[in-house]
Amino acid sequence: MDFQLSEEHRMVQKMVRDFAQSEVVPVIKEWDRKQEMAPFILPRMAELGILGINIPVRYGGQGFDYLALGLVCEELEAADSTLRVVMSVHMGLNSMALLQWATEEQKQKFLTPQAKGEKIGCFGLTEPGAGSDVAGMKGTAKKAGDEYVLNGEKMWISLATKAHHALVVMRTNPDVADSHEGLSAFILELDRKGVKTGDIHGKLGMRAGSTGWISMQDVRIPAANLLGQEGEGFKIAMSCLDNGRYTVAAGATGLIRASLDASVKYAHDRRAFNREIGQFQLVQQKIAYMVQQYEAARLLYLRAGWMKNMGQRNTRETSLAKWHATDASFDAANEAIQVHGAYGYSDEYDVERYLRNSRGAIIYEGTSEIHQLMQAGYALGYRKDAELRCELPAYDVEYWQAEK
Amino acid sequence: MATRHSMGGKIFVYVDHFKGKPLPASWEVVGAARKIAGENGMSVSALVLGQGVERIAQPAFQYGAGEVLLADDASLADYRPEPYAALISKLAKDSQPEAIFFPTSTRGRELAAMAAIDLDTGVIPDVIEIEHEGGKFTATRPIYAGKLLAKVTCSAKPALLTLRVRAFGKPDKDIGRSGDITKVSPALNEDQIATKVVDYAPTEGRVSLGDAAVIVSGGRGLSNNPSLQPPADITDEKQKEIWRAQQGFKMLGELAEVLGAAVGASRAAVDAGYIPYAHQVGQTGKVVSPDLYIACGISGAIQHLAGMRTAKVVVAINKDSDAPIFKLARFGVVGDLYEVIPALTKAFKERLHK
Amino acid sequence: MKIAVFVKQVPDSAAKVALENGVVSWGDAPLVINPWDEYAVEAALSLTEQHGGEVTAISLGDESAKEALKHALAMGCGHAILISDPALKGIDSAGVARVCAAAVQKLADIDVAVFGKQAIDSDTGLTAAMAARILGWPALTLVASIAQLDPAAKTIRVQRGIEEGRQIVEGKLPAVISIVKDFGEPRYPSFMGIRKASKAEIPSLTLAELGTQAPEAKITWPELISPPKRKVTNEMITGASADEIAANLADKIIAEGVL
């Protein structure tokens, strides 16, 4: 069992870290205050190839593996969570689903431009009235000849106003007995007639990001935009979440690290009662827990990434990683604020932003409560993963790196 | 044609100048050379190279040179390393000095480097202390951006040393002192020189940062003046921020004017586009050693400290009482620099009768 | 064009450098490519982008120096060579310059040899000018931008950053240049570059294989010292108004005798 990262992985990690720390960190606070996404972020991530990091070269990607994706997400979120959200929706929830479920034509048409960063992808599952209760969604897609007509509203959609393509899940069959089986997944170009998007402001965190809504009114899309088969929508959505959650787990790990690093630095810089505060045991305790949480979170997401590389079903392991890391990142940020004292309460330092950003991840991509139910289900034998018609392809170096 | 002025050896000093205007650092080096020469029964020969530079000989004597070797030629009008180094090396081969001292300027350092190759000797660059014992020169110099000091010896003759600017103190000037000028010819013909100076563009601004005795320096905090209203035609937020910071640097410039100071900047201010890189103090900017360094809105990140930690007196003005710069500061003010700096400018104007 | 760029592996600039038993230690701070050398690599790559050709990155050191070379490869250099030899221990700047010159000659047909302004550990800033002198090539140091390069006419025109401003100098090729930060931020390694670099086998040459020997060091460092802890008494200046603070501060500064 080799716990070492390869030289290639380390170099990728360093490159993304350098980018995030030198180009984003110096300006992110201002954008967070403005509640706007900095316009340079998406083009720059596209330019650097980050938006296609683990997609095969033949589909316009950089040909790295799923571990690289995790490492990249850890580095991005250590700078700001909104950077990692880009990877979660564009790559985890959308592009990787295309890799897993799309036809060759769909891959050429949608995946390749996304991997190249020419188009941005997002994911439309959640509705104003349906979050955890996915099957309770109301948005519909009615077959009409060789088209589908989409009606409905999706909410809490990251990059809604910035993306070109949305992977949406809609109800195609309202009459089926099990509502899970009445859903289908579609690739929706957001510039189609009848599509409206908008931003949601006033969020507690993720303020330097873009969270919005997508409204569909009699939107007509070709039947060729159906992803997978009719009725597979729920299964596809769950498999999307396996990948989205993975990026969240990796990112939240980076957030724990950011809280830890900030706390260590401050503990050395700040003096009280004639010594640096790192000398006080209660400060040390907080830092010790951050270390423990960081290392555990890191191992959990790396294992999930490794399983993806191996082509092994990893729903359970990814869920565990996400639940652990997100809860831990909230605790770490909370304690980091305490270490900083009053300064932690001010946006002069980064830790209050870490706390506000961390809170969202406990809710999205499966609430912590959902993950608890999943883990208990696996442990008690109530829950078993059935094989999917299409699995996420195992990482194969030659296939990923060949031009054709 | 070496002239023996004393029983001991000679110390050559390269008098650095730009277009005939000697750098103050050159006189510091002459002064330092004279002190060591005096302690060791040696004499100081100043090397003056250029065109129309004969008048540099007079201050050279006044600061302590016993003789001046003067090369005045069209081929030396613009500084170029090859002809200058070739001549310095030739003069050294002829006179066999114990050492050649250079100021650590862009020219001094590279001339020392090249002469070392010609003379098969070594260079101790950027020294802050010099000892001469048993015929050998040992000098102390900062390494790792000043985190450590190394005592360095040169085992060959002549020892080539470049002296850090402002590390050796203001030299004494004896107006009455004079000496012999020996005219020398350049070592290379024009057609033997592989480079040509095409043009020159001066840096915008007054005092050169490297030479300045006083530096007023600004950081990212300079843009922090929301009450300052940019003109209506600036709509971009980033441009507004830059405009505000530029007003801030103008304000620092007024203080600098009163103090005869140079204006410096932290890396953060330069990277944000507030002021050109020429003003940057720090690890990847200029290392400065002024007598007085006034840091305004600069937190004191480690790379900035590396560039100014040897300043004699540091004054810090910052809103954040935790800013690391305060640890280095002889005097600190926790406050709004937009209030303190204009008041300080006024206070100095009154006291220095400007 | 054939370009050689020299890179050095040094402790990270943020490292806490200390003396342990008279020897320099930087704890577990990583070794990185000398920041100035990244600018040099950037300059070298931008030249080949404009004029075609390839860049070879060269480093002197032990196996660990291969990391700096891999970074250079990942940025886009075509080749990398490590010069490793026990005789390099204790070498001085002139010695380094001689080895660099030998490497340039071994590579043959080099048009430009590029160095960073200085290494952030030894801070000497001598190597570029020394290498130029040994090679008998023009030394164009402290280059802030390359205004023009004519491969046919074999000339190069650069803007040098000197104290007084910018000096524009034209020189014949082949030439040695050293690069300052004004040149422009070095590019990140591309992902493709990272892949290539991690797969690359970097050849290691001894001095004998280079056709040279270790020159005797004229400069030695018999002693290292920690700088004296400057006893700075910190005094915070306060007052009821900005004017009062300013008056107090101005008086104190004048009393220090620094104006």
Side-chain angles (χ1 to χ4, degrees):
Chain A
M1 195 165 189
D2 188 355
F3 282 74
Q4 291 266 53
L5 289 174
S6 71
E7 181 174 48
E8 203 173 84
H9 282 139
R10 281 185 284 115
M11 287 176 87
V12 166
Q13 187 176 28
K14 180 174 188 312
M15 184 275 219
V16 176
R17 181 184 305 201
D18 287 345
F19 154 67
Q21 294 296 322
S22 65
E23 291 186 37
V24 181
V25 164
V27 298
I28 198 69
K29 238 182 262 193
E30 289 310 312
W31 291 100
D32 187 86
R33 280 200 198 111
K34 281 197 268 227
Q35 296 196 44
E36 247 180 75
M37 188 168 189
F40 76 88
I41 302 263
L42 288 173
R44 192 74 178 119
M45 286 175 75
E47 194 186 346
L48 292 173
I50 298 174
L51 295 182
I53 182 87
N54 57 295
I55 298 299
V57 171
R58 70 187 64 220
Y59 294 122
Q62 301 293 319
F64 286 94
D65 65 4
Y66 302 115
L67 278 173
L69 172 61
L71 295 167
V72 164
C73 288
E74 184 183 334
E75 294 311 324
L76 290 175
E77 188 146 2
D80 191 81
S81 305
T82 56
L83 290 181
R84 184 272 306 153
V85 167
V86 171
M87 298 307 287
S88 294
V89 307
H90 172 90
M91 176 60 79
L93 294 170
N94 187 315
S95 301
M96 285 169 75
L98 297 180
L99 192 62
Q100 186 170 349
W101 297 94
T103 63
E104 188 57 36
E105 288 93 341
Q106 288 171 332
K107 284 179 185 161
Q108 297 291 340
K109 188 162 184 211
F110 299 108
L111 178 58
T112 300
Q114 279 177 204
K116 287 185 178 164
E118 289 162 4
K119 301 277 186 199
I120 303 294
C122 71
F123 184 68
L125 183 69
T126 304
E127 296 184 352
S132 296
D133 181 14
V134 170
M137 70 166 67
K138 296 209 168 10
T140 57
K142 286 203 177 73
K143 190 94 192 283
D146 58 357
E147 286 181 328
Y148 284 91
V149 182
L150 274 51
N151 275 285
E153 193 180 338
K154 298 295 183 185
M155 193 169 171
W156 307 112
I157 307 303
S158 300
L159 302 185
T161 56
K162 313 274 189 246
H164 305 88
H165 307 147
L167 198 166
V168 295
V169 180
M170 311 289 271
R171 185 168 303 286
T172 35
N173 190 344
D175 302 321
V176 72
D178 182 353
S179 57
H180 293 85
E181 289 171 19
L183 305 178
S184 306
F186 298 91
I187 302 162
L188 168 65
E189 301 98 323
L190 292 171
D191 58 357
R192 284 196 183 271
K193 185 158 170 287
V195 175
K196 277 203 185 70
T197 62
D199 280 315
I200 298 170
H201 291 114
K203 306 194 303 288
L204 173 66
M206 303 293 199
R207 291 182 171 183
S210 152
T211 315
W213 48 265
I214 303 174
S215 150
M216 294 160 276
Q217 252 201 321
D218 294 329
V219 177
R220 296 180 160 268
I221 60 174
N225 282 27
L226 173 71
L227 183 65
Q229 295 169 353
E230 264 198 40
E232 267 187 333
F234 186 83
K235 292 200 176 84
I236 291 176
M238 293 304 110
S239 78
C240 294
L241 290 171
D242 275 356
N243 298 317
R245 281 170 187 165
Y246 171 65
T247 64
V248 174
T253 305
L255 196 52
I256 302 171
R257 192 185 87 207
S259 290
L260 169 61
D261 289 348
S263 302
V264 166
K265 182 172 188 303
Y266 198 76
H268 282 309
D269 285 346
R270 176 75 175 183
R271 295 183 71 82
F273 304 105
N274 240 325
R275 66 204 85 168
E276 62 183 41
I277 62 171
Q279 299 267 324
F280 297 119
Q281 289 179 331
L282 291 176
V283 172
Q284 291 178 0
Q285 182 185 58
K286 294 175 197 306
I287 286 172
Y289 273 112
M290 288 182 212
V291 172
Q292 180 200 62
Q293 300 288 55
Y294 170 62
E295 304 237 6
R298 190 170 170 270
L299 289 171
L300 283 172
Y301 92 74
L302 288 177
R303 175 181 62 169
W306 176 84
M307 290 177 77
K308 288 181 198 291
N309 277 357
M310 295 291 118
Q312 291 173 15
R313 184 70 180 267
N314 53 83
T315 306
R316 186 191 80 89
E317 290 77 7
T318 300
S319 146
L320 190 60
K322 188 267 181 191
W323 170 37
H324 171 82
T326 52
D327 279 358
S329 70
F330 181 71
D331 290 338
N334 192 32
E335 294 296 359
I337 290 179
Q338 201 69 2
V339 168
H340 282 69
Y343 282 98
Y345 204 61
S346 146
D347 71 0
E348 178 106 30
Y349 285 82
D350 297 315
V351 289
E352 61 82 33
R353 194 177 83 252
Y354 297 161
L355 183 71
R356 290 185 292 104
N357 284 350
S358 69
R359 192 62 186 80
I362 299 173
I363 301 169
Y364 57 64
E365 302 256 16
T367 60
S368 285
E369 290 78 5
I370 288 287
H371 289 290
Q372 287 166 41
L373 296 178
M374 286 173 70
Q375 295 303 321
Y378 285 115
L380 288 164
Y382 299 155
R383 184 187 174 103
K384 286 190 196 359
D385 291 331
E387 245 183 63
L388 295 172
R389 187 176 63 86
C390 302
E391 298 281 5
L392 183 73
Y395 181 73
D396 176 74
V397 156
E398 269 159 45
Y399 180 80
W400 251 251
Q401 293 181 9
E403 297 281 328
K404 288 206 203 313
Chain B
M1 25 166 282
T3 324
R4 305 285 305 269
H5 284 272
S6 67
M7 291 303 292
K10 285 189 188 184
I11 299 179
F12 275 7
V13 173
Y14 167 70
V15 177
D16 193 25
H17 68 89
F18 184 71
K19 292 192 185 298
K21 192 159 174 274
L23 269 59
S26 299
W27 306 139
E28 291 165 19
V29 178
V30 171
R34 180 199 169 164
K35 183 161 175 285
I36 294 175
E39 288 164 2
N40 293 279
M42 297 193 276
S43 67
V44 177
S45 303
L47 309 182
V48 177
L49 283 57
Q51 187 179 47
V53 288
E54 186 151 348
R55 54 195 156 74
I56 295 183
Q58 193 194 49
F61 293 128
Q62 290 169 342
Y63 283 110
E67 72 168 341
V68 166
L69 304 180
L70 175 69
D72 203 300
D73 189 83
S75 68
L76 301 172
D78 286 313
Y79 167 80
R80 287 176 291 181
E82 289 83 13
Y84 275 54
L87 181 52
I88 292 171
S89 303
K90 178 173 182 301
L91 294 172
K93 283 186 180 142
D94 290 342
S95 299
Q96 300 284 309
E98 297 298 306
I100 312 179
F101 287 6
F102 303 76
T104 310
S105 60
T106 56
R107 292 171 287 270
R109 197 195 290 257
E110 77 177 352
L111 288 176
M114 294 170 94
I117 298 301
D118 292 346
L119 300 168
D120 199 21
T121 180
V123 181
I124 312 179
D126 210 24
V127 306
I128 58 175
E129 235 178 77
I130 304 173
E131 287 156 30
H132 183 258
E133 229 185 85
K136 273 206 339 209
F137 280 91
T138 301
T140 307
R141 61 178 300 263
I143 53 174
Y144 293 94
K147 290 179 201 163
L148 290 178
L149 299 174
K151 275 209 151 129
V152 184
T153 317
C154 179
S155 66
K157 237 187 62 164
L160 305 187
L161 274 62
T162 80
L163 278 60
R164 183 173 266 209
V165 178
R166 308 205 60 79
F168 286 84
K170 237 184 158 112
D172 297 323
K173 195 175 186 182
D174 183 350
I175 313 273
R177 210 161 177 280
S178 190
D180 294 329
I181 299 179
T182 305
K183 295 213 165 116
V184 296
S185 309
L188 297 179
N189 296 324
E190 182 59 48
D191 47 287
Q192 291 173 296
I193 307 170
T195 55
K196 267 187 191 24
V197 177
V198 171
D199 204 352
Y200 154 70
T203 339
E204 57 283 11
R206 329 154 184 89
V207 188
S208 149
L209 203 51
D211 271 341
V214 182
I215 297 174
V216 178
S217 206
R220 213 138 199 278
L222 276 184
S223 65
N224 200 358
N225 190 359
S227 66
L228 219 58
Q229 274 315 315
D233 61 321
I234 299 179
T235 49
D236 179 60
E237 278 309 313
K238 180 78 191 163
Q239 291 306 315
K240 281 187 190 169
E241 179 191 311
I242 291 176
W243 182 88
R244 288 197 181 96
Q246 286 170 342
Q247 304 315 303
F249 270 102
K250 278 205 190 108
M251 180 182 71
L252 293 193
E254 282 161 21
L255 176 58
E257 187 98 61
V258 170
L259 298 175
V263 175
S266 69
R267 178 179 180 156
V270 172
D271 284 349
Y274 300 165
I275 190 167
Y277 171 63
H279 296 265
Q280 184 172 319
V281 172
Q283 180 81 40
T284 39
K286 282 196 187 62
V287 172
V288 297
S289 192
D291 293 333
L292 175 61
Y293 189 86
I294 305 180
C296 312
I298 293 178
S299 66
I302 191 163
Q303 338 60 288
H304 188 77
L305 296 187
M308 44 64 71
R309 72 170 73 230
T310 56
K312 285 213 177 73
V313 172
V314 175
V315 176
I317 301 162
N318 198 304
K319 261 194 174 140
D320 176 13
S321 61
D322 277 335
I325 192 120
F326 283 123
K327 288 198 197 85
L328 203 63
R330 177 74 185 84
F331 302 116
V333 174
V334 178
D336 186 347
L337 57 95
Y338 274 90
E339 286 176 6
V340 177
I341 298 297
L344 199 58
T345 305
K346 198 175 105 201
F348 274 119
K349 254 196 192 139
E350 289 164 9
R351 285 152 178 77
L352 303 176
H353 309 294
K354 291 268 164 105
Chain C
M1 288 203 80
K2 269 183 85 174
I3 306 200
V5 64
F6 289 89
V7 303
K8 189 179 182 188
Q9 183 112 314
V10 297
D12 187 69
S13 66
K16 279 199 163 33
V17 175
L19 279 182
E20 279 170 25
N21 300 320
V23 172
V24 186
S25 142
W26 49 84
D28 51 7
L31 290 174
V32 298
I33 182 173
N34 180 41
W36 293 103
D37 297 341
E38 280 193 81
Y39 290 92
V41 173
E42 176 60 37
L45 291 171
S46 66
L47 276 177
T48 51
E49 269 161 12
Q50 264 188 34
H51 303 283
E54 255 191 346
V55 181
T56 302
I58 305 163
S59 191
L60 280 65
D62 57 28
E63 278 299 303
S64 71
K66 283 190 176 172
E67 294 219 7
L69 290 171
K70 291 225 163 163
H71 187 95
L73 285 173
M75 282 174 73
C77 294
H79 306 282
I81 300 171
L82 176 69
I83 300 169
S84 187
D85 196 303
L88 288 174
K89 195 166 154 49
I91 197 174
D92 63 8
S93 299
V96 171
R98 285 192 199 283
V99 175
C100 292
V104 168
Q105 275 159 342
K106 179 131 179 106
L107 285 175
D109 301 323
I110 295 290
D111 296 299
V112 188
V114 192
F115 291 81
K117 177 182 174 222
Q118 68 192 64
I120 62 167
D121 50 359
S122 50
D123 286 330
T124 62
L126 303 167
T127 315
M130 286 179 160
R133 197 62 168 172
I134 295 164
L135 289 164
W137 292 5
L140 299 166
T141 61
L142 309 174
V143 171
S145 73
I146 297 173
Q148 222 182 76
L149 190 150
D150 192 332
K154 287 190 158 283
T155 57
I156 183 172
R157 184 181 286 211
V158 301
Q159 262 197 34
R160 299 183 61 226
I162 57 177
E163 288 88 345
E164 296 84 7
R166 290 278 171 89
Q167 191 192 43
I168 299 162
V169 183
E170 191 170 285
K172 298 203 179 91
L173 292 178
V176 171
I177 64 178
S178 76
I179 304 292
V180 293
K181 194 196 175 211
D182 277 6
F183 195 89
E185 283 305 304
R187 64 196 66 185
Y188 299 112
S190 68
F191 289 126
M192 295 302 177
I194 288 172
R195 172 167 305 134
K196 252 188 76 192
S198 65
K199 292 192 175 129
E201 286 284 333
I202 297 178
S204 187
L205 295 179
T206 60
L207 292 179
E209 285 165 333
L210 207 51
T212 187
Q213 300 165 296
E216 178 212 326
K218 311 282 193 305
I219 299 293
T220 48
W221 297 4
E223 201 187 328
L224 293 175
I225 353 175
S226 294
K229 289 223 186 292
R230 290 148 33 102
K231 290 215 154 45
V232 183
T233 44
N234 310 106
E235 195 181 326
M236 299 306 286
I237 309 292
T238 52
S241 65
D243 282 333
E244 202 182 297
I245 295 173
N248 290 341
L249 183 56
D251 287 336
K252 298 252 176 183
I253 291 174
I254 289 171
E256 290 285 315
V258 287
L259 280 173

